Amino acid sequence: MSTSPLNLGLTGWPLEHSYSPHLHQAALRTLGLAGEYRLYPLPPTPEGEAGLAALLQRLRGGELRGLNVTIPHKQTVIPWLDELTPLARGIGAVNTLYAKDGRLAGDNTDAPGFLADLKDCFPFLFSLERPTALVLGAGGAARAVVYALAQAGWQVKVASRRAEQAAALFASFAGSLPSIQAAPLEPGLYRLPCHLIVNTTPVGMYPNIQTSPWPENEPIPEGAAVYDLVYNPIETKWVRTARAAGHPAANGLGMLVEQAAMAFELWSGQAAPREAMRQAASLLLLEKL
Ligand code: NAP
């Protein structure tokens, strides 16, 4: 294990609202490790291409020990990498990079982070015989969520406001994960029975906190659990409505902490202090109230 400082960071665009530095700095502090977690904002390619290449060189050379990647580089960075974990290859996107013997490796902790928190929040879902889920949105986070659920044996319907986006997500997984379907975002969809509904759109996120990804005039299907990837505000309008109607509901804070903790463990080789990381994120959210 290297004894050099654990210099970590995040690249993407824009980055100014990221919670990641707070989570990882809390982890470094709690474990008493030397190091830092910095933001490396880089615009989309081709504009950001030279910056991305230089940053990856710093990772390859060991100056940086780990790098998180977010929008818009989760997929565009892949051609620069020497290897992908089977999970990152399956999802077709990375969020965690590190160098191994001078080779750049890409992994994805969004999918296991989501699944770990889902199990934590709704353990009863994991004893169902044929669990079914509806996923709203078909962007980057949806890829990880849909992949994680389908790999865990779920039947998954994915729906997006642009039908072609859900169709493209379906097409990219169709060969390997036959339990995924694309569905049009139309009134009938909201009435189909299912065990779990996941929001992967930013609808409801601060500052648009009065919006909801679920139509106001449609009840949530009976018995369905609700998971909103949005974590800011702590209780989104959709989560509040679902709870008021008696549905088990959770926001994405647990996923945020889990995906960060899993990345931190890959880089540090140590168990991540999840509680300290969660507290750091909760504190930020409370400051925004
Ligand atoms: P993304 O790649 O931009 O995808 C967003 C998806 O939402 C797209 O399908 C987009 O459709 C759809 N969408 C956007 N605005 C919409 C609207 N007003 N009505 C209906 N659909 C809409 O973003 P992402 O990376 O997947 O992130 C999505 C959300 O998940 C963000 O709020 C992010 O903060 C959250 N997230 C949370 C975690 C966590 O750890 N909790 C992790 C990742 C992401 P169009 O392409 O048509 O706009």
Side-chain angles (χ1 to χ4, degrees):
M1 174 99 22
S2 170
T3 51
S4 62
L6 204 53
N7 289 333
L8 311 169
L10 167 69
T11 187
W13 186 273
L15 290 182
E16 58 264 27
H17 299 299
S18 175
Y19 281 45
S20 294
H22 303 270
L23 288 164
H24 288 282
Q25 277 151 11
L28 289 167
R29 227 180 11 253
T30 305
L31 296 180
L33 296 175
E36 60 177 10
Y37 188 102
R38 290 181 52 181
L39 296 178
Y40 298 96
L42 288 171
T45 54
E47 202 190 334
E49 196 165 316
L52 206 48
L55 190 61
L56 292 178
Q57 200 44 43
R58 291 172 66 184
L59 185 63
R60 195 190 291 277
E63 187 190 332
L64 286 175
R65 297 263 301 278
L67 198 60
N68 278 138
V69 183
T70 189
I71 298 170
H73 302 307
K74 280 185 169 184
Q75 289 175 286
T76 51
V77 77
I78 288 178
W80 273 295
L81 305 180
D82 301 309
E83 55 192 80
L84 294 178
T85 60
L87 183 63
R89 180 170 297 113
I91 297 169
V94 294
N95 76 332
T96 302
L97 308 182
Y98 49 91
K100 209 170 69 181
D101 306 324
R103 290 169 62 76
L104 285 182
D107 201 349
N108 189 310
T109 65
D110 282 334
F114 164 72
L115 211 57
D117 191 50
L118 191 70
K119 274 188 186 149
D120 214 31
C121 295
F122 308 134
F124 53 89
L125 290 176
F126 289 81
S127 50
L128 295 170
E129 247 172 52
R130 277 177 62 84
T132 54
L134 168 62
V135 174
L136 303 173
R143 288 192 77 80
V145 165
V146 164
Y147 187 89
L149 288 171
Q151 279 283 2
W154 288 67
Q155 300 284 322
V156 185
K157 273 197 174 56
V158 54
S160 58
R161 62 177 170 182
R162 287 183 296 119
E164 68 274 17
Q165 195 185 33
L169 192 153
F170 161 75
S172 68
F173 288 145
S176 52
L177 295 168
S179 65
I180 300 172
Q181 283 183 308
L185 198 55
E186 59 184 22
L189 185 77
Y190 299 111
R191 295 171 199 157
L192 292 176
C194 64
H195 299 107
L196 171 70
I197 310 167
V198 185
N199 173 38
T200 73
T201 80
V203 181
M205 188 165 78
Y206 181 85
N208 301 311
I209 60 172
Q210 287 313 324
T211 58
S212 167
W214 199 260
E216 242 166 62
N217 52 345
E218 294 283 358
I220 295 166
E222 200 181 324
V226 157
Y227 191 100
D228 196 342
L229 257 64
V230 174
Y231 50 83
N232 181 12
I234 291 179
E235 191 179 56
T236 58
K237 182 176 180 186
W238 188 44
V239 165
R240 193 165 56 249
T241 310
R243 284 180 178 148
H247 295 266
N251 76 1
L253 184 61
M255 173 181 172
L256 179 79
V257 172
E258 272 301 329
Q259 61 78 29
M262 288 174 178
F264 188 86
E265 287 172 346
L266 280 170
W267 299 325
S268 69
Q270 301 197 29
R274 284 172 169 72
E275 199 39 50
M277 296 171 89
R278 178 182 279 274
Q279 272 177 23
S282 303
L283 208 64
L284 270 184
L285 284 165
L286 290 173
E287 278 170 10
K288 289 192 175 154
L289 281 181

